[in-house]
Amino acid sequence: MDDETDPETGREARTAPDDQVTSVAGPGRASRPTLPAPAGGRGHTSRAEAAEHARVVADLTDRHSLTLESVLAVLRSPRVGDAAARAEAVEVASAALVELRTSSDRQREVLLEPVTGAFSRLRADLRPLVRFGDLDVQFVEPPATGRALPGDVAHAARAIVRNAVLTLVDEGSAGRVRIQWDCDGRNLLMQVRDDGTGTHDVQDDAMRPIAERVGALDGRMHVDSTPGWGSVLDITLPLDPAPGSAPGPDDADLTPREAEVLRLVATGVGNREIADGLGISVNTAKYHVANLLRKLGARTRAELAAHVHAG
């Protein structure tokens, strides 16, 4: 919960970020973040909020699917006895539950993440599936000297690769998947290669959701398939906003510092993380957020984020 300055009264009030999520646990089920419904208001704002809402729901669905696939892989594995399988399945489910309860999305709260660290977290996400499933997943590490990734890019990259691997698992025709990351200084370069039927293209039902996610990030995705040999997904994600995407036409009177704060607000971080990232005090970060709310005619942090996403 952050202290915000009311732009009209000048008084300080304690407000919670409107894009914050909470966890609700049901009997025998992993806790799932409950997301606020997109707010009404200006047309482009509600559309942007709806798109962001759908993206987060899709990502949470992907993460839950990965957990369930991992648990099933453990329980079905002929290499593990019943008692050991139950213990491993409990460990996998417990780890996923802790992840969801302690952080709605830790990745997006990180201003910068080393590319090797982001890749290691992807390996950790897929480890149970690799260890107990029938799919052989090979990881090709990115160079340690690669440029650090913005937190939202690192988060999206992991979600995209997880989704691609789960798609191949669901299809059932691939026995081996190779995952490779690289960074050219401006883009994160990802490749996912399998030895399946080689019938995928970017427009089929399995690949289209992944391509749409990549496109929403101003990225590019190419699928090259050879029947009988497998498919290769080449994905490029830009590390910086597209030229002209921020500031927008309504942002002409923002100072350079306010533009930086606005960009960080759009990633979902709080005032403390903004202050740490920019080397300013928390009170100064609050002051800039209050000015942004006033200048852009927004009522909440979620509307500020929607303003950026709407371009």
Side-chain angles (χ1 to χ4, degrees):
M1 184 172 291
D2 297 318
D3 292 341
E4 299 288 323
T5 301
D6 188 318
E8 296 182 358
T9 65
R11 297 178 179 176
E12 192 169 72
R14 295 180 64 82
T15 59
D18 293 79
D19 51 357
Q20 184 176 357
V21 299
T22 57
S23 296
V24 179
R29 298 175 59 186
S31 145
R32 291 181 68 99
T34 302
L35 302 166
R42 295 172 297 176
H44 73 274
T45 297
S46 62
R47 285 195 299 272
E49 289 179 340
E52 177 67 5
H53 183 270
R55 186 201 67 74
V56 174
V57 169
D59 177 61
L60 292 174
T61 301
D62 158 54
R63 185 168 285 279
H64 277 281
S65 297
L66 178 63
T67 300
L68 293 175
E69 290 280 4
S70 300
V71 170
L72 288 174
V74 172
L75 296 177
R76 291 170 175 169
S77 175
R79 303 190 297 272
V80 184
D82 288 346
R86 285 195 298 271
E88 187 69 31
V90 168
E91 182 178 343
V92 171
S94 298
L97 182 61
V98 168
E99 173 74 11
L100 287 171
R101 281 180 171 171
T102 58
S103 170
S104 63
D105 224 345
R106 280 184 313 182
Q107 297 94 327
R108 296 191 66 184
E109 295 178 358
V110 178
L111 298 182
L112 288 175
E113 188 170 355
V115 63
T116 51
F119 193 77
S120 294
R121 292 181 68 175
L122 173 65
R123 294 186 66 160
D125 287 344
L126 295 174
R127 184 175 295 119
L129 195 61
V130 173
R131 182 178 177 187
F132 297 102
D134 296 327
L135 191 66
D136 177 17
V137 182
Q138 300 177 344
F139 297 92
V140 180
E141 296 276 352
T145 56
R147 175 182 165 185
L149 308 179
D152 53 340
V153 173
H155 165 74
R158 285 190 293 267
I160 288 168
V161 173
R162 289 196 308 262
N163 195 358
V165 173
L166 287 173
T167 297
L168 298 173
V169 169
D170 290 341
E171 186 185 61
S173 63
R176 178 176 297 174
V177 174
R178 182 175 183 268
I179 300 170
Q180 180 174 0
W181 280 18
D182 201 349
C183 187
D184 65 3
R186 294 185 177 182
N187 303 280
L188 175 63
L189 311 174
M190 302 186 294
Q191 185 180 88
V192 181
R193 179 191 298 264
D194 80 335
D195 63 352
T197 57
T199 57
H200 287 302
D201 65 68
V202 76
Q203 294 298 329
D204 67 32
D205 290 340
M207 293 292 112
R208 189 183 305 114
I210 303 173
E212 290 175 351
R213 177 72 182 274
V214 172
L217 297 167
D218 295 322
R220 302 185 304 277
M221 173 173 160
H222 176 71
V223 179
D224 184 16
S225 296
T226 303
W229 290 89
S231 301
V232 179
L233 284 65
D234 285 303
I235 300 167
T236 302
L237 295 182
L239 302 184
D240 299 304
S245 62
D250 295 333
D251 304 343
D253 60 342
L254 298 185
T255 66
R257 177 65 82 191
E258 287 169 345
E260 291 178 319
V261 172
L262 178 61
R263 177 179 60 82
L264 294 175
V265 168
T267 69
V269 301
N271 288 337
R272 171 64 63 183
E273 289 78 13
I274 292 173
D276 292 342
L278 298 179
I280 59 178
S281 70
V282 174
N283 284 336
T284 301
K286 294 175 185 177
Y287 171 78
H288 287 311
V289 171
N291 279 346
L292 288 169
L293 291 170
R294 175 178 56 81
K295 288 185 176 182
L296 299 179
R299 296 167 297 174
T300 65
R301 298 171 78 99
E303 288 188 4
L304 288 178
H307 176 88
V308 174
H309 295 311

